[in-house]
Amino acid sequence: MSVMMNKIQQKEKMTDLMSKFISLVSYKLPDDVENKLKELSEEEDNKLAKIIYKTMFENQKLAFELKRPSCQDTGVLQFFVKCGENFPLIGQLDSILKNSVYKSTQETPLRHNSVETFDEYNTGMNIGDGSPSIFWEIEEDSDKVEIYTYMAGGGCTLPGVATVLMPGEGYEGVVKFVLDRMTSYGINACPPLLVGVGVGTSVETAAMNSKKALMRAVGSRNENENAAKMERLLEDGINAIGLGPQGLKGSKSVMGVNVVNTARHPSTIGVAVNTGCWSHRRGKITFDSNLDYEISTHEGVTL
Ligand code: SF4
């Protein structure tokens, strides 16, 4: 019984901390995004673009002070979980994350964004059939859990696309695919964008890689030299469109381009694009087996 009670208390503690973390992510951008927005604003010489950046910073300041979401679209919650095989709440994590989304929805509050497909009603809880999305990796010999929390807004989700290229199209085909999408849909996603590009065998592996690319820090580089070169070339190419902040023109379009790749079938090149907007709300929290936590994306904050 005491073990049961202990588990229940642990579950309550983690639900409470996770709901506070979700709220934090909704009203405070991660450090890498804040720093990049400052850098882009300082480099910008377009007058209107400068005013828009200033408005963004004022918006961020007020969101943090008032503890209110920095964008009205608080998105659909997505979690990328790397869970140690010995983490004590591994079996409870799914329900902990769902309950923490509901708790944060009530307390922050978050906009109700979970509509049951085909039945067309909003659950009002940000929980629905298969939502929030929880993507799992299990780690051997570990008793910790790392959780990336991401708020997938409608506008920034809209440019998402995946396909499988003929092998003869090569990496030039990947670049063309990404640029075609960015020149047609990029403006919908509230630039400056973080562009995630995934490369793999099939649409689902490429799509997952492209979303994982959005979890990688702005300014980081793919460890593979050729992939890193593609990141730089795509950044230059998309910047040349001159979308500027909120798509109202400016010298830059992106905060960065991150490529994530996995080994692929020799006869296919799966490629996918996902975008993060200027209000790229993601955060990483790691819990140890005592539920002590560390937040690596937002320096100096506590829950
Ligand atoms: S794209 Fe981002 S900033 Fe724009 S409305 Fe959607 S969530 Fe908000």
Side-chain angles (χ1 to χ4, degrees):
M1 186 64 183
S2 65
V3 173
M4 274 299 292
M5 279 305 290
N6 200 22
K7 197 73 128 184
I8 290 167
Q9 285 167 346
Q10 285 178 326
K11 215 177 142 178
E12 276 173 6
K13 181 176 176 184
M14 190 167 175
T15 304
D16 187 52
L17 287 170
M18 271 311 298
S19 73
K20 289 189 170 112
F21 184 62
I22 293 166
S23 302
L24 169 77
V25 169
S26 80
Y27 61 71
K28 174 109 176 75
L29 291 180
D31 301 338
D32 61 328
V33 173
E34 276 191 354
N35 292 338
K36 189 66 190 183
L37 289 173
K38 270 183 213 142
E39 184 188 314
L40 289 174
S41 130
E42 281 158 18
E43 286 170 11
E44 188 57 73
D45 48 21
N46 178 303
K47 269 191 190 166
L48 179 59
K50 273 196 167 309
I51 291 169
I52 294 168
Y53 276 120
K54 205 174 152 206
T55 310
M56 287 172 174
F57 299 139
E58 181 67 9
N59 175 76
Q60 287 307 302
K61 185 172 163 284
L62 287 172
F64 187 66
E65 282 171 12
L66 300 170
K67 304 285 181 277
R68 287 289 177 266
S70 58
C71 176
Q72 41 74 37
D73 184 357
T74 49
V76 163
L77 268 296
Q78 299 186 327
F79 299 100
F80 296 81
V81 177
K82 191 197 269 187
C83 190
E85 60 173 338
N86 300 319
F87 181 66
L89 297 177
I90 187 169
Q92 289 72 36
L93 205 45
D94 196 273
S95 62
I96 287 171
L97 292 175
K98 283 184 180 139
N99 290 339
S100 60
V101 168
Y102 180 51
K103 195 166 155 57
S104 179
T105 298
Q106 290 179 305
E107 290 175 2
T108 312
L110 305 177
R111 197 175 86 178
H112 303 164
N113 276 336
S114 191
V115 174
E116 291 295 2
T117 309
F118 294 119
D119 297 330
E120 298 306 301
Y121 74 90
N122 194 319
T123 67
M125 300 184 290
N126 274 329
I127 303 174
D129 190 15
S131 182
S133 309
I134 305 172
F135 303 103
W136 287 84
E137 278 179 52
I138 304 293
E139 195 173 30
E140 199 179 341
D141 283 339
S142 162
D143 60 2
K144 295 183 177 179
V145 63
E146 294 175 13
I147 305 171
Y148 270 106
T149 297
Y150 176 60
M151 294 187 158
C156 49
T157 300
L158 195 66
V161 65
T163 193
V164 181
L165 303 174
M166 295 291 275
E169 293 182 76
Y171 294 107
E172 291 84 352
V174 171
V175 170
K176 181 177 180 306
F177 181 78
V178 176
L179 288 178
D180 278 353
R181 199 61 180 177
M182 286 301 102
T183 49
S184 53
Y185 279 78
I187 200 165
N188 292 291
C190 292
L193 311 171
L194 179 60
V195 182
V197 178
V199 182
T201 291
S202 48
V203 282
E204 75 282 0
T205 50
M208 182 52 80
N209 286 343
S210 69
K211 190 48 87 64
K212 282 183 178 170
L214 295 185
M215 300 305 113
R216 238 182 61 203
V218 173
S220 63
R221 281 286 172 227
N222 191 302
E223 286 175 9
N224 180 289
E225 232 175 79
N226 291 325
K229 184 176 172 191
M230 184 185 277
E231 290 176 339
R232 285 192 295 272
L233 290 173
L234 280 171
E235 277 173 21
D236 291 347
I238 304 169
N239 276 334
I241 309 167
L243 292 177
Q246 291 293 11
L248 291 169
K249 289 192 180 170
S251 62
K252 297 278 169 64
S253 311
V254 296
M255 294 190 278
V257 177
N258 290 350
V259 174
V260 169
N261 50 291
T262 44
R264 61 181 175 79
H265 189 288
S267 306
T268 67
I269 304 179
V271 54
V273 183
N274 252 304
T275 47
C277 56
W278 76 269
S279 185
H280 186 50
R281 287 148 299 166
R282 63 130 152 71
K284 183 184 177 191
I285 186 165
T286 304
F287 290 92
D288 66 18
S289 56
N290 298 316
L291 299 185
D292 290 329
Y293 65 88
E294 188 187 334
I295 298 169
S296 50
T297 43
H298 299 67
E299 201 185 326
V301 297
T302 48
L303 301 177

